[in-house]
Amino acid sequence: MFHALASLDVVLVPLQLVLAMAGMGATMTLADFKSIVRDPSGLALGLVVQVVCVPLLAVGLAQALGLGKGWAVGLLLVAAVPGGAFSNLLTFFGRGNVPLSIAITTVSTLGCIATVPLVLRVAARSHLPPGFVLPTQRIVVEIFAYLLIPLAAGMVLRRFAPGRSAAVSRWSIRGALSLIALITLGALGSGKIRVVEFGWQPPLVIVVFGASLALGVPQLMRALGRYDDDTVATTIEVAVRNVGVALLLVHFFFPGQPEQAHVLYTALFYAGASPAFALPIMFRHRWGRSAVLFRRRHPRPE
């Protein structure tokens, strides 16, 4: 059963994204995105954190802990890819700045066509094969098919059939959550995350990496004066990585060598663990508490 669920990921993941984006779109209008245009500083900051700060943290951890080359490349690959669309749904549930979350996801995913090769060439040049290329066309198609078109469809429904949009949003998001549960079961039962075989250091390093993002980014956002809803959106965005892009690239590294299993393990383990890094800030903000530990709330003025 578990292996059957794992093999269905190619269908379940896109369907989950479509339902989630359509469900959120049915609660939004174009006016919700005007703040991003009027003040793009939140988007700019989110992109800097994604493209610069997250890879720097991965490089620092790999060097400080003396990780083997397979584990180091795996961690860097996870850090180099953009945030995942699941972050948008978690930001929605956490009552964060959903338009900002969607904007960071879209721009960083389009930008990863240039940023992922750049980061890997700078930090993992010795392990990068000559034929390394990103599947550019596939990334662009998926952005439009799974993110922008469903979001636009939900917003059109909200505009022209407001009486139905609430029900469509509710059931779409429920469907997305059900599919996430199935995808998680498939991942856990795939047999590719073998903690006993590789020992406890790799998962501990991955947890330290994710926890550092979840704890450090809110402090950075508060130091820069951002409101709590922006902090929630940006933190969840960097904590939930687009591991699907990373998995497309695993086969380029260490083909036929044991280290390739280390790269794959890192990507899969982070995919499974990332909700645990994002959920605490989601629940804190949803329950009216500060998005930053040990700090007072900093809500956006009404």
Side-chain angles (χ1 to χ4, degrees):
M1 174 183 174
F2 286 127
H3 294 288
L5 287 175
S7 65
L8 285 175
D9 278 4
V10 67
V11 175
L12 297 182
V13 172
L15 181 56
Q16 175 263 317
L17 292 175
V18 168
L19 288 175
M21 297 308 295
M24 289 186 289
T27 69
M28 304 173 70
T29 66
L30 284 175
D32 294 323
F33 289 91
K34 287 182 178 179
S35 62
I36 307 297
V37 177
R38 289 195 302 265
D39 179 16
S41 61
L43 173 59
L45 177 58
L47 294 175
V48 169
V49 173
Q50 282 277 39
V51 176
V52 179
C53 298
V54 178
L56 283 177
L57 174 64
V59 171
L61 278 176
Q63 292 182 348
L65 299 175
L67 297 183
K69 58 184 180 180
W71 301 114
V73 169
L75 192 64
L76 182 62
L77 183 59
V78 169
V81 299
F86 183 43
S87 65
N88 308 147
L89 186 60
L90 293 180
T91 299
F92 176 81
F93 281 121
R95 298 172 182 166
N97 190 337
V98 177
L100 176 61
S101 176
I102 293 172
I104 296 175
T105 298
T106 303
V107 175
S108 64
T109 305
L110 283 171
C112 81
I113 296 168
T115 60
V116 170
L118 177 62
V119 169
L120 293 176
R121 286 193 174 99
V122 169
R125 179 184 296 273
S126 60
H127 306 302
L128 204 59
F132 177 79
V133 290
L134 271 180
T136 302
Q137 183 177 359
R138 178 173 177 176
I139 291 172
V140 172
V141 168
E142 289 185 356
I143 289 171
F144 281 90
Y146 305 147
L147 297 181
L148 299 183
I149 292 176
L151 177 70
M155 294 173 68
V156 168
L157 179 67
R158 166 74 183 272
R159 173 67 177 84
F160 294 102
R164 297 181 180 179
S165 62
V168 169
S169 174
R170 182 168 58 252
W171 285 105
S172 294
I173 289 174
R174 287 176 179 175
L177 290 174
S178 299
L179 291 176
I180 289 170
L182 286 175
I183 293 166
T184 302
L185 285 173
L188 292 175
S190 67
K192 295 178 180 178
I193 302 177
R194 303 187 296 272
V195 175
V196 174
E197 179 178 343
F198 294 123
W200 288 102
Q201 186 193 34
L204 285 176
V205 171
I206 296 168
V207 169
V208 169
F209 173 70
S212 297
L213 293 176
L215 295 173
V217 172
Q219 297 292 342
L220 174 62
M221 297 293 287
R222 177 60 62 86
L224 295 174
R226 307 306 301 188
Y227 297 115
D228 281 349
D229 60 341
D230 287 358
T231 299
V232 170
T234 305
T235 303
I236 293 177
E237 183 71 21
V238 300
V240 179
R241 318 301 297 163
N242 191 340
V243 177
V245 174
L247 292 175
L248 291 175
L249 305 177
V250 167
H251 72 279
F252 283 104
F253 297 95
F254 313 109
Q257 301 178 47
E259 287 82 2
Q260 187 172 75
H262 302 169
V263 179
L264 177 62
Y265 177 103
T266 302
L268 290 174
F269 191 95
Y270 192 90
S274 59
F277 308 135
L279 288 175
I281 192 170
M282 184 199 84
F283 283 119
R284 286 181 64 85
H285 193 252
R286 182 177 178 87
W287 293 339
R289 302 177 65 185
S290 172
V292 186
L293 286 176
F294 312 118
R295 304 288 292 273
R296 293 183 178 180
R297 294 181 67 242
H298 188 41
R300 187 179 299 277
E302 296 294 337

